[in-house]
Amino acid sequence: MADLSSRNPDWWRQAVVYQVYPRSFADADGDGLGDLRGVTQRLNHLATLGVDALWLSPFYPSELADGGYDVADPRDVDPRLGTLDDFDAMVAEAHRLGLKVVVDIVPNHTSHQHPWFQEALRAGPGSAARDRYVFRSGRSTHGELPPTDWQSVFGGSAWRRVADGEWYLHLFAPEQPDLNWENEEVRADFRTTLRFWSDRGVDGFRVDVAHGLAKDLAEPLRNIGGIGATGEEALLRVAPGSHPYWDRDEVHEIYRDWRKIFDAYTPPRTAVAEAWVPDTRRALYARPDELGQAFNFEYLQASWDADELREVITGSLATARTVGASATWVLSNHDVVRHASRLLLPPGTDENAWLLSGGRAPAVDQAAGLRRARAATLLMLALPGSAYVYQGEELGLPEVADLPTQVLRDPIWEQTGHVRKGRDGCRVPLPWTPDGPSYGFGPGAAWLPQPEFFASYAVAAQAGAEGSTLELYRTALRLRRKLLEGETLTWTPGAPAGVLDFSRTENWRCVTNLTERSVPLPPGEVLLAGTPLAEAGSLPPDTTVWLG
């Protein structure tokens, strides 16, 4: 069994980390928005679940132009979510329960309400204040055109003009101006931020848009032309490390500097990169002298297909091994359609079109989706490396695809001119009880409406209920701790087509049937199954079993 004790520097290598989106986790003060005291009150749920750490999505002062990722002060707590004292109390309670704490940091951009950006607007062109961000003159006779054709991830130009005629860069929402990481003051300020939270007991950091900090700002700025603005597709069309603003080689100098700070603590602080880059480039962020770990988005994006998943698993383990890191696995997070719905969508489905249809084109059978999600979960938890679990997936929550457009909060909806529905469907507040105005989320209504069917998914409805998804997670995580040994797997030769079959040790074998028919169950003691095995010696479709 892996040693996850408080002093073990390698606790993260095979940890199960639970992502808390604080505004949707638990509301203690009744204003409809989740808060830090709500998180603290519900930490026992995570301890009972059996995870090793919680990852806290942004809780900083923010106007919520991007769900909290528009940060006005990276060293404080949004007053709607609590205070620094509340944060300290949460960390203390987490540590008392044996849970590590990982926080989100957002180094690529700030909120436009950040004091630095407000100072830059007042200071004017050519000022030191503007050099902390990326300001440029526009093109054409009167500077009325953006400096380049760079595009925002949320849609439209990545440039916005200010009153004096200059333009500033925002690779995301206009309310999120990009920082200039060539500026030493920016670098020094983030060193201060890393120490600030580390000194308060934070065990690690999740680095938002880790591949976006370094940019080619040499004049004249380069247009991207036909190489594309976003995603890995754009990076595959240029020489590695040479895109104007994604995954540039210079970004690694920043993380090597951060590692010196992480290693000054005992145990060293951990970090994981959110870097939407090709597989071979991802390993660079996970090097031991940089962040140490990086999210594996190939696994999240893989379809429910045995050959594709085996290729992704094998490749991901090999990539992590090249730099001495452990692999990471994730099925859902705050940015994607929940996997209890997504895994049942036919390959090639336009997920945005599906969301715009309210989840009706095509319709998703919730029972079938849950069955597949449970199989996917046991497969993920059997893989070597760290598993990241998004809040509510332990309840089997599906995507709330039919949110009325008038309640949407994700800026993507407005930024794209009502073309892309956005990510609100996976951010609907959690149900804790089968009744109440917000199913136990808080004493009043929640900031996003919850569907009536949430009642049957509530924690209180599933706790202690034989066969519930919550109890499946609890059992799986208890077993995983007992069985965990080494960081390798061995594929079983001769597995039937459509079946993933591997051993972690001589006492732990995982078999997943991804076909539409039952297959013979290999010999061994059944330790756990995602679906009851009704027929002896047979493994049903969309089922994972652990054998001993």
Side-chain angles (χ1 to χ4, degrees), residues 26-30 34-43 81-83 86-87 89-90:
D27 170 23
D29 63 12
D35 46 47
L36 293 186
R37 286 199 295 119
V39 174
T40 303
Q41 290 172 4
R42 297 292 189 179
L43 284 177
L81 273 66
T83 65
D86 292 328
F87 180 85
M90 182 204 69

Side-chain angles (χ1 to χ4, degrees), residues 187-430:
R187 297 189 179 214
D189 192 70
F190 258 85
R191 294 185 195 108
T192 299
T193 296
L194 295 173
R195 293 188 181 101
F196 179 86
W197 294 112
S198 295
D199 289 344
R200 299 191 94 92
V202 161
D203 301 286
F205 300 90
R206 179 262 189 189
V207 184
D208 186 62
V209 195
H211 60 308
L213 279 58
K215 299 171 177 68
D216 182 3
L217 300 179
E219 296 290 352
L221 296 182
R222 290 187 287 146
N223 284 331
I224 57 175
I227 65 174
T230 63
E232 295 178 38
E233 300 84 2
L235 296 174
L236 292 171
R237 297 175 189 167
V238 297
S242 67
H243 190 281
Y245 49 85
W246 292 137
D247 188 38
R248 293 189 59 77
D249 288 335
E250 305 95 289
V251 78
H252 298 290
E253 174 197 343
I254 297 169
Y255 299 134
R256 283 191 288 273
D257 181 54
W258 288 12
R259 174 48 60 185
K260 297 173 186 174
I261 295 172
F262 299 153
D263 287 350
Y265 291 87
T266 304
R269 298 321 188 222
T270 67
V272 57
E274 183 211 27
W276 291 87
V277 300
D279 182 53
T280 53
R281 296 285 295 181
R282 186 178 67 242
L284 303 180
Y285 296 82
R287 288 181 288 198
D289 64 339
E290 293 191 31
L291 297 178
Q293 203 170 56
F295 281 127
N296 173 11
F297 293 117
E298 284 89 349
Y299 187 73
L300 184 149
Q301 294 170 322
S303 58
W304 189 244
D305 176 84
D307 291 339
E308 181 179 353
L309 281 169
R310 176 166 176 160
E311 182 179 353
V312 167
I313 291 167
T314 301
S316 299
L317 290 171
T319 297
R321 201 157 41 240
T322 62
V323 293
S326 61
T328 63
W329 314 103
V330 59
L331 288 166
S332 286
N333 63 34
H334 64 291
D335 282 334
V336 301
V337 172
R338 285 187 177 275
H339 68 275
S341 298
R342 187 186 73 249
L343 290 178
L344 215 63
L345 295 175
T349 297
D350 182 333
E351 290 182 9
N352 181 60
W354 179 75
L355 289 170
L356 289 171
S357 76
R360 290 183 284 273
V364 172
D365 182 322
Q366 285 191 7
L370 179 58
R371 179 189 182 100
R372 186 166 289 183
R374 289 162 62 109
T377 292
L378 290 192
L379 170 61
M380 175 182 74
L381 292 177
L383 294 170
S386 297
Y388 287 79
V389 174
Y390 180 50
Q391 64 177 43
E393 70 174 78
E394 78 278 16
L395 307 177
L397 290 183
E399 184 80 1
V400 183
D402 59 352
L403 284 172
T405 56
Q406 61 267 26
V407 305
L408 298 180
R409 303 288 189 91
D410 192 335
I412 289 177
W413 176 242
E414 295 295 338
Q415 188 83 4
T416 62
H418 299 176
V419 171
R420 290 167 56 194
K421 195 170 184 182
R423 302 158 291 181
D424 289 314
C426 66
R427 300 176 179 182
V428 175
L430 294 189

